[in-house]
């Protein structure tokens, strides 16, 4: 069972509607599942919602999963990415890692337990990254306050 995690909005992009429906049926009780049947729909969802994890199929008609992931890195660099595919193509794996900043490559048909564990691990990474950002911001603020107090102390 997933940990109680505030970061749990998942976007799944796949051109096969039955895959989207299966994913939603399996994971809807644990996560807020957003689905898109194309990269264009996926981008629209990303623009309108806060997404914490992206899962995409590799082989889609208009664009590959890797091309989709590569196209969103600039606007959504911190979101972990998982690539699903029914094909074993070493070049796709290499591109996924190098171009799409993919966290994990999962073969179709996916095992529910394996995919659930992969999702949880990716969300933990996202959570840790966000926590690190917040702590860094607090540290910077505290440091600025201490420097101000030190200057005030030196002036008096």
């Amino acid at each position: 069972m997933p940990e109680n995690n505030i970061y749990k909005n998942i976007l799944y992009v796949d051109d096969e509607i039955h895959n989207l429906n299966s994913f939603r049926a399996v994971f809807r009780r644990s996560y807020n599942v957003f689905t898109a049947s194309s990269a264009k729909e996926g981008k629209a969802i990303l623009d309108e919602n806060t997404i914490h994890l992206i899962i995409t199929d590799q082989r889609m008609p208009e664009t590959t999963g890797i091309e989709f992931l590569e196209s969103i890195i600039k606007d959504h660099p911190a979101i972990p990415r998982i690539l699903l595919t029914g094909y074993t193509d070493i070049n796709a794996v290499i591109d996924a890692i190098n171009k799409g900043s993919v966290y994990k490559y999962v073969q179709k048909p996916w095992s529910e337990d394996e995919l659930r564990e992969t999702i949880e691990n990716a969300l933990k990474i996202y959570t840790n990254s966000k926590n690190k950002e917040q702590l860094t911001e607090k540290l910077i603020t505290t440091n600025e306050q201490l420097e101000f107090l030190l200057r005030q102390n030196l002036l008096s």
Side-chain angles (χ1 to χ4, degrees):
M1 199 65 176
E3 293 180 11
N4 194 0
N5 190 332
I6 61 169
Y7 302 114
K8 57 183 180 180
N9 293 343
I10 297 174
L11 169 61
Y12 178 38
V13 182
D14 195 322
D15 62 310
E16 297 180 43
I17 300 301
H18 69 277
N19 287 341
L20 296 174
N21 292 337
S22 295
F23 184 87
R24 179 181 279 121
V26 171
F27 294 105
R28 67 184 163 80
R29 289 194 172 118
S30 303
Y31 309 102
N32 302 320
V33 176
F34 296 80
T35 58
S37 61
S38 69
K40 185 177 178 180
E41 282 181 36
K43 285 181 183 180
I45 290 170
L46 282 168
D47 290 342
E48 297 168 9
N49 300 277
T50 301
I51 300 296
H52 307 117
L53 175 64
I54 300 167
I55 302 172
T56 185
D57 183 32
Q58 167 58 6
R59 297 214 178 174
M60 296 184 287
E62 294 174 17
T63 184
T64 67
I66 295 165
E67 291 168 343
F68 167 63
L69 295 175
E70 188 178 14
S71 74
I72 61 166
I73 287 176
K74 183 181 175 196
D75 294 327
H76 307 281
I79 302 174
R81 299 153 175 78
I82 297 172
L83 186 71
L84 289 177
T85 186
Y87 302 91
T88 49
D89 178 358
I90 193 64
N91 291 329
V93 175
I94 293 167
D95 284 348
I97 293 165
N98 292 339
K99 295 179 181 178
S101 297
V102 169
Y103 162 71
K104 189 98 174 196
Y105 181 90
V106 177
Q107 287 238 219
K108 285 181 177 178
W110 43 266
S111 150
E112 180 180 338
D113 292 337
E114 178 188 354
L115 188 54
R116 187 176 300 279
E117 182 178 337
T118 299
I119 288 169
E120 277 303 303
N121 289 339
L123 289 173
K124 283 179 189 172
I125 289 170
Y126 184 83
T127 299
N128 290 341
S129 174
K130 287 297 178 186
N131 289 342
K132 183 179 173 183
E133 284 177 20
Q134 292 170 353
L135 288 172
T136 300
E137 288 173 13
K138 285 181 183 178
L139 184 60
I140 289 169
T141 301
T142 301
N143 191 40
E144 289 170 351
Q145 291 170 344
L146 286 172
E147 287 177 356
F148 175 77
L149 290 172
L150 180 61
R151 283 192 299 269
Q152 291 293 50
N153 202 12
L154 290 173
L155 289 175
S156 37

